[in-house]
Coordinates of all heavy atoms in Angstrom, one line a residue:
Chain A
K244 N 11.2 13.3 -22.1 CA 10.3 13.2 -23.1 C 10.0 14.6 -23.7 O 9.8 14.8 -24.9 CB 9.0 12.5 -22.6 CG 9.3 11.1 -22.3 CD 7.9 10.4 -21.8 CE 8.2 9.1 -21.1 NZ 9.1 9.1 -19.9
N245 N 9.8 15.6 -22.8 CA 9.3 16.8 -23.3 C 10.4 17.7 -24.0 O 11.5 17.7 -23.5 CB 8.7 17.6 -22.1 CG 7.9 18.8 -22.6 OD1 8.6 19.8 -22.9 ND2 6.7 18.8 -22.6
E246 N 10.0 18.3 -25.0 CA 11.0 19.2 -25.8 C 11.6 20.2 -25.0 O 12.9 20.5 -25.0 CB 10.3 19.8 -27.0 CG 11.1 20.5 -27.9 CD 12.3 19.6 -28.5 OE1 12.0 18.4 -28.7 OE2 13.4 20.2 -28.6
R247 N 10.9 20.9 -24.0 CA 11.4 21.9 -23.2 C 12.3 21.4 -22.2 O 13.3 22.1 -21.8 CB 10.3 22.7 -22.6 CG 9.6 23.8 -23.6 CD 8.6 24.6 -22.9 NE 7.3 23.9 -22.8 CZ 6.2 24.5 -22.4 NH1 6.2 25.7 -21.8 NH2 5.1 23.9 -22.3
T248 N 12.0 20.2 -21.6 CA 12.9 19.6 -20.7 C 14.3 19.3 -21.4 O 15.4 19.5 -20.8 CB 12.4 18.2 -20.2 OG1 11.0 18.4 -19.9 CG2 13.1 17.7 -19.0
I249 N 14.3 18.7 -22.6 CA 15.4 18.4 -23.4 C 16.3 19.7 -23.6 O 17.5 19.7 -23.3 CB 15.2 17.7 -24.7 CG1 14.4 16.5 -24.4 CG2 16.3 17.5 -25.5 CD1 13.7 15.8 -25.7
Q250 N 15.6 20.8 -23.9 CA 16.4 22.0 -24.1 C 17.1 22.5 -22.8 O 18.1 22.9 -22.8 CB 15.4 23.1 -24.6 CG 15.1 23.0 -26.1 CD 14.1 24.0 -26.5 OE1 13.7 24.9 -25.8 NE2 13.6 23.8 -27.7
F251 N 16.2 22.5 -21.7 CA 16.7 22.9 -20.4 C 17.9 22.1 -19.9 O 18.9 22.7 -19.5 CB 15.6 22.8 -19.4 CG 16.0 23.2 -18.0 CD1 16.1 24.5 -17.6 CD2 16.2 22.2 -17.0 CE1 16.6 24.9 -16.3 CE2 16.5 22.5 -15.7 CZ 16.7 23.9 -15.4
L252 N 17.8 20.8 -20.1 CA 18.9 19.9 -19.6 C 20.2 20.2 -20.4 O 21.3 20.1 -19.9 CB 18.5 18.4 -19.7 CG 17.5 18.0 -18.6 CD1 16.9 16.6 -18.8 CD2 18.0 18.1 -17.2
A253 N 19.9 20.3 -21.7 CA 21.0 20.6 -22.6 C 21.8 21.9 -22.2 O 23.0 22.0 -22.1 CB 20.6 20.8 -24.0
K254 N 21.0 22.9 -21.8 CA 21.6 24.2 -21.4 C 22.3 24.1 -20.1 O 23.5 24.6 -19.9 CB 20.5 25.2 -21.1 CG 20.4 26.3 -22.3 CD 19.3 27.3 -22.0 CE 18.6 27.6 -23.3 NZ 17.3 28.1 -23.1
I255 N 21.8 23.4 -19.0 CA 22.4 23.4 -17.8 C 23.6 22.5 -17.7 O 24.5 22.5 -17.0 CB 21.5 23.2 -16.5 CG1 20.8 21.9 -16.6 CG2 20.5 24.3 -16.4 CD1 20.1 21.6 -15.3
S256 N 23.6 21.4 -18.6 CA 24.6 20.4 -18.6 C 25.9 20.9 -19.3 O 26.9 20.4 -19.2 CB 24.2 19.0 -18.9 OG 23.7 19.1 -20.2

Side-chain angles (χ1 to χ4, degrees):
Chain A
K244 292 179 191 66
N245 188 283
E246 188 53 40
R247 282 186 278 181
T248 315
I249 295 166
Q250 280 172 12
F251 175 75
L252 288 173
K254 254 183 221 156
I255 63 172
S256 55

